Amino acid sequence: MPQSPASRLPACRFQSFSEPSDPAEVAPRIAALRQALAQQGLAGFIVPRADEHQGEYVPSHMARLAWLTGFTGSAGNAVVLAEKAALIVDGRYTIQSAEQTDTAVVTPTRMEETPLDRWIEQNLPPGGRLGYDPWLHTVDAVARLEKAAAAAGGTLVAVGQNPIDALWSDRPAPPTAPVKAHRTDLAGEDTQSKLARIQDALGKAKVDALVISDPHALAWTFNIRGGDVEHTPLPLGYAIVPREGRPTVFLAPEKVTNEAGDAIGAVGEIAPPAALEAQLAALGAAGARVRLDATTAASALATLIRDAGGMPDSGTDPIALMKARKNETELAGTRAAHLRDGAAMVRFLTWLAREAPGGQLTEIDAVAALEAERARTGLLKDVSFTTIAGAGPNAALPHYRVTEASNRRVEPGILLVDSGGQYEDGTTDITRTMAIGEPSEEMRDRYTRVLKGHIAISRAVFVKGTSGAQLDALARLPLWQAGLDFDHGTGHGVGSYLSVHEGPQRISKLGTTPLEPGMILSNEPGYYKEGEYGIRIENLIVVEERIIPGGDRTIYGFETITWCPYELALIELKLLDEGEIAWINAYHAQVWGNLASLVEGEAKDWLEKACLPL
């Protein structure tokens, strides 16, 4: 094979391409677990893809579901009984789950058809004791599981020690990444001010304390960042914030840098993680009402408080909305990050246009080239998630991850690249779909329909109080009109040098949180033809207030902050109306105006052509 262009690129620093699992290991591990369960008198055990914080990314030593089943997706549950086992995943992972596990031992199951609780109800034998780790399930989740087990005539049993941990002989050590201070000139608000707002919210909620179980909320509140999980600068830990007085942050002391320690020490106390249970018991003994985040707090936390005499209050963490509404400093930072990220994208797309016609490029080459361009900024801290570079049929997998085994050549057709960067001033996420060679008429039709939905979200104006669920159909209508759709949400929230997937805001059929000024979301409709190609177009947008002359309601709209041309070769003009054409031309004029001074030579020439008016 001729020398790949990737040989001229530096190796990827932030992601590997090794195959993360081996289906051949699944059967003996399932057998060992079954033996351990039998010794404990358990009929089965639930293995979620979760750590104690219910995070999207889990540290390697908490990846129990991947160790047991081989499945490495971002969401799923396994249930192992004596005679059967299921791997329950959502529609994004139907194909991946079947490829990664041993289907002779574990049955991949679509969550949309058979959710976890229904599977338990249908399969747990009468009288069966179903085990679970109370540190890996929320209070609400445990209530649903208890109901399902009871409906099957069995019982749900909390275990003191997760049985997988005793079987996992080469289990990695817990992460030891340093906890660093996040500068106030980047955060836009100091910790003292944030704590005052949080404590005010606790007073209004009539609770005595809040347990911060979400590491994103911990990082935001105390203006700290870490590196305990992939691609998101999180320190894994907890905090207890009383309604009055100083909070306590639970972090391994050896991980806390002097600067971060001084910053936290100015407003609160630092204690080792092992001290958390004693402090929760003390709150319980005092009869305290303690707020637990319903989405991230482990059931074990509620049990510790209740058993000591306190009142666990499972509800909304007030920090979630505070964090979602970015301040002007955070917004200025993310705009700056998107400009440098846009220039990196232009340099990458220029490289792709030059190299792809030679027929020697692979998906891994594309990932390496894009990471190299982001690294050239000198400010890249990490990629914001594992880069998706899908050629041909791989592009039809919305959450595809290229490995050495799956790596395809970039041949005539479509290449979809979904990627982002973590910079101290902002987090980026962008998807562009490129034509390699001459695209088919069908590809142009589908791309243009996706683009029409993308534009509809970009141009949307909506009254205060509108949720993402009310906007989601705008992105789908051009596809629906052709009998088409896509199976993921239209958009997710995005953090400020935090998670690229942030809640509670989202544009989705399930997005019930009202959208408010300062919230950052993605706008990413798509279309996927299984086994052939996939299309997705993504920009990040910010909710902003709009003044409508003569209007009498508070109206919001979206500011686009991602800058990169769309693929002109995939646009079918006859499907666009005059307003959509004008919007594309105006956007491309802004792309040129924002990025032309940030690139030079071949990249600037490419950008000028890519931004020509339709």
Side-chain angles (χ1 to χ4, degrees), residues 160-218:
Q161 178 70 36
N162 194 304
I164 289 178
D165 297 351
L167 303 174
W168 193 353
S169 59
D170 58 347
R171 187 182 181 196
T176 57
V179 177
K180 301 178 181 179
H182 185 55
R183 302 196 321 261
T184 304
D185 64 319
L186 295 171
E189 184 179 9
D190 63 32
T191 300
Q192 190 70 56
S193 171
K194 292 179 179 181
L195 286 169
R197 289 204 282 148
I198 294 166
Q199 291 178 319
D200 181 63
L202 298 183
K204 291 177 180 176
K206 296 181 171 56
V207 296
D208 299 301
L210 165 70
V211 175
I212 300 179
S213 52
D214 181 356
H216 304 85
L218 180 71

Side-chain angles (χ1 to χ4, degrees), residues 5-36:
S7 64
R8 302 193 297 271
L9 295 168
C12 282
R13 175 185 171 191
F14 298 113
Q15 64 187 81
S16 72
F17 305 104
S18 60
E19 184 58 49
S21 60
D22 181 1
E25 296 177 334
V26 174
R29 291 175 179 178
I30 292 285
L33 177 60
R34 283 175 169 152
Q35 184 177 3

Side-chain angles (χ1 to χ4, degrees), residues 109-180:
T109 304
R110 279 178 60 94
M111 180 185 71
E112 293 84 353
E113 298 170 1
T114 310
L116 175 61
D117 52 353
R118 188 183 305 163
W119 193 94
I120 292 169
E121 185 176 341
Q122 294 172 350
N123 292 279
L124 182 66
R129 300 171 71 247
L130 181 62
Y132 77 102
D133 184 336
W135 285 97
L136 304 182
H137 301 266
T138 65
V139 172
D140 291 346
V142 169
R144 291 192 297 271
L145 295 173
E146 287 177 335
K147 183 178 179 181
T155 55
L156 190 71
V157 179
V159 300
Q161 178 70 36
N162 194 304
I164 289 178
D165 297 351
L167 303 174
W168 193 353
S169 59
D170 58 347
R171 187 182 181 196
T176 57
V179 177
K180 301 178 181 179

Side-chain angles (χ1 to χ4, degrees), residues 16-23 25 29 63 66-73 96 100 230 401-406:
S16 72
F17 305 104
S18 60
E19 184 58 49
S21 60
D22 181 1
E25 296 177 334
R29 291 175 179 178
W67 179 85
L68 182 69
T69 68
F71 174 65
T72 60
Q96 179 179 332
Q100 290 188 317
E230 285 187 319
R401 173 188 179 276
V402 59
T403 67
E404 292 170 353
S406 70

Side-chain angles (χ1 to χ4, degrees), residues 416 446 449-450 475-476 479 484-490 524-528 534-537:
L416 184 156
R446 304 305 191 251
R449 290 180 185 278
V450 171
R476 300 178 188 272
L479 289 164
L484 311 169
D485 201 3
F486 54 95
D487 292 330
H488 55 75
T490 297
E524 51 178 313
Y527 172 75
Y528 310 93
I535 292 163
R536 188 162 61 252
I537 304 170

